[in-house]
Amino acid sequence: EAIVSFNTAIELKSDFVEAHYNLGVALYALDRYEEAVDSYNRAIELNPNHVKAYNNRGNTLKQLGELQAAVNSFSKAIELRPDDVAGKVNLIETLTEYTPDHHQKSLIILVHKQIQAIETSYDANQKINDGEVINLFKKFSYVLKKNQFKTMIGSSQIYRRKLIELHCKRHMAIF
């Protein structure tokens, strides 16, 4: 029903950006990803500064397995709005699954690659001691400072959502 309404709005006013954007949202919810990408593309064509359209297009491209295109879309969202948390989270989550083949100009991609390159050696079946955690945190902090990358990270626990189960015995003993 929403799709019919958005299509009607587009028929009445073909340059109605939000109708194209919301049509993309509705199509995505129905797993009609190719059509959703087309709707987001049209919204972006009409408004090249539509940050949410870039983010949602990136998520849709990710669902289609087009990870490089998704990275590009998230990067554009961050370029348009550097303080956009959703774009940064989407980009980081995508980069945990995919490493771009070519050099990217995006600072967040550069920093991500440098952090991935930090060598760690620990036994997943043993407790991590405080010194190892502090040493790893210092290495990460050095990479961030070296690249003048500003974060909103305080003293809270950091982990990869969906990738690491934190309810194991090892984590319960540490935290």
Side-chain angles (χ1 to χ4, degrees):
E1 199 172 301
I3 292 174
V4 172
S5 297
F6 293 129
N7 280 326
T8 301
I10 291 168
E11 285 176 21
L12 295 171
K13 187 170 173 23
S14 63
D15 63 347
F16 187 14
V17 176
E18 291 306 310
H20 288 283
Y21 170 76
N22 287 316
L23 176 59
V25 172
L27 291 166
Y28 180 91
L30 296 173
D31 298 335
R32 293 168 56 182
Y33 301 128
E34 291 87 0
E35 295 170 85
V37 169
D38 291 340
S39 293
Y40 294 132
N41 285 342
R42 182 67 178 133
I44 290 167
E45 181 182 313
L46 293 168
N47 178 4
N49 296 317
H50 200 300
V51 174
K52 287 183 179 180
Y54 284 104
N55 273 323
N56 284 6
R57 180 178 71 179
N59 283 323
T60 308
L61 290 165
K62 186 176 170 183
Q63 290 296 323
L64 291 169
E66 297 178 31
L67 299 180
Q68 182 59 55
V71 166
N72 293 343
S73 200
F74 297 137
S75 295
K76 183 64 178 180
I78 294 166
E79 178 186 317
L80 291 171
R81 190 180 302 144
D83 62 338
D84 181 49
V85 174
K88 290 178 182 178
V89 168
N90 289 332
L91 180 59
I92 290 168
E93 286 179 352
T94 303
L95 289 172
T96 62
E97 301 170 23
Y98 168 74
T99 302
D101 293 331
H102 62 284
H103 179 265
Q104 293 284 329
K105 294 180 182 177
S106 172
L107 179 60
I108 198 166
I109 293 173
L110 174 67
V111 169
H112 178 76
K113 285 181 179 181
Q114 290 175 6
I115 287 175
Q116 279 185 321
I118 293 173
E119 291 187 31
T120 58
S121 59
Y122 66 92
D123 183 349
N125 296 316
Q126 294 184 7
K127 291 181 184 179
I128 301 171
N129 68 47
D130 290 344
E132 291 170 328
V133 172
I134 291 168
N135 188 36
L136 191 58
F137 186 78
K138 285 179 181 178
K139 289 178 181 179
F140 291 159
S141 295
Y142 173 76
V143 170
L144 297 173
K145 286 178 186 174
K146 178 177 80 171
N147 290 287
Q148 298 177 349
F149 190 81
K150 296 182 182 180
T151 63
M152 297 180 299
I153 300 169
S155 300
S156 63
Q157 176 184 357
I158 302 167
Y159 63 94
R160 287 185 179 180
R161 186 169 13 128
K162 300 181 198 166
L163 297 180
I164 298 175
E165 177 59 48
L166 294 179
H167 299 293
C168 67
K169 290 179 186 175
R170 182 174 61 89
H171 281 95
M172 296 305 257
I174 295 170
F175 301 108

